[in-house]
Amino acid sequence: MRTEYSQLKEYMEQSKKTVAVTGAGISYLYGMRRLKQTVGRMNASRIFTSAYVRKHPEEFYETMKDAFLDATFVKGPSAVHKQLADLEKQGKLYGIVTQNLDCLHTIAGSQNVVEFQGSFQDNICIDCGNRCHDYTVWNQGHMPRCEKCGAPLMPMSFCMDAKDRDSVSRETMHRAINLISEADLVWIIGTTGFRSDEYLSRMKPGTKLVQVNPSVTEFDRIADLNIHADAAVVLDAVLKG
């Protein structure tokens, strides 16, 4: 067995609260598309504004379908999503902090998940403001609509104005920070560090930081352990004990 795996297992045996931090890497590997690949860099800044989403909900839906929804509901969670859910069930993983919008951790069965950029679970009617906390509304083959008034439902993170979006962002990041601050072992899996300065700075003294990424990232210089390998292979070894 590789020395890195032995070290990781030792950290896990010593840990009372392990938290995983995940990013787009665990979704892109199995078919999720980058938004800027879908719409182009110039269009991204135009399409992902509250004003544009409210005015062109059908176009927004088709963009999300191409980039996220088909991969989410047709292919379902990746091996890594399922492995992390299994670790939580076994009591080896306390929670997950993710930058991903796709709800795949929840679909895989994880319970304690903080989606600090928002997700397709938190939706709002663009007309009456009715809230809908249900990702399955995006799996109907058409744009989701409000049960009360029939107007389009949109993810809150895309549909709010800047002031409200910042408020929600602060709230979800606060939840992420609380989770990280309770951990004595933090795994970085499939992310290069988006907004990491906001949560990693709140780790308590002595907390171990482990990176599981195929390539070198900014975490290489600060992690206690770097495992440059496929996360599914690493997690499989952990699950098998």
Side-chain angles (χ1 to χ4, degrees), residues 6 8-16 185 241:
S6 300
L8 176 56
K9 288 187 177 183
E10 181 181 327
Y11 285 162
M12 290 201 66
E13 289 169 1
Q14 296 171 348
S15 174
K16 294 181 180 179
L185 174 59

Side-chain angles (χ1 to χ4, degrees), residues 224-241:
D224 296 281
L225 176 64
N226 289 295
I227 303 179
H228 293 303
D230 187 315
V233 175
V234 177
L235 292 174
D236 184 58
V238 171
L239 281 163
K240 289 179 178 177

Side-chain angles (χ1 to χ4, degrees), residues 90-114:
Q90 294 178 17
K92 296 179 180 179
L93 184 67
Y94 180 58
I96 296 171
V97 170
T98 186
Q99 70 187 59
N100 298 339
L101 310 173
D102 51 38
C103 304
L104 285 170
H105 285 299
T106 299
I107 295 171
S110 293
Q111 299 295 313
N112 192 14
V113 182
V114 178

Side-chain angles (χ1 to χ4, degrees), residues 43-57:
N43 285 332
S45 60
R46 173 178 61 92
I47 289 176
F48 305 127
T49 63
S50 174
Y52 191 90
V53 168
R54 289 176 177 275
K55 189 174 181 179
H56 304 281

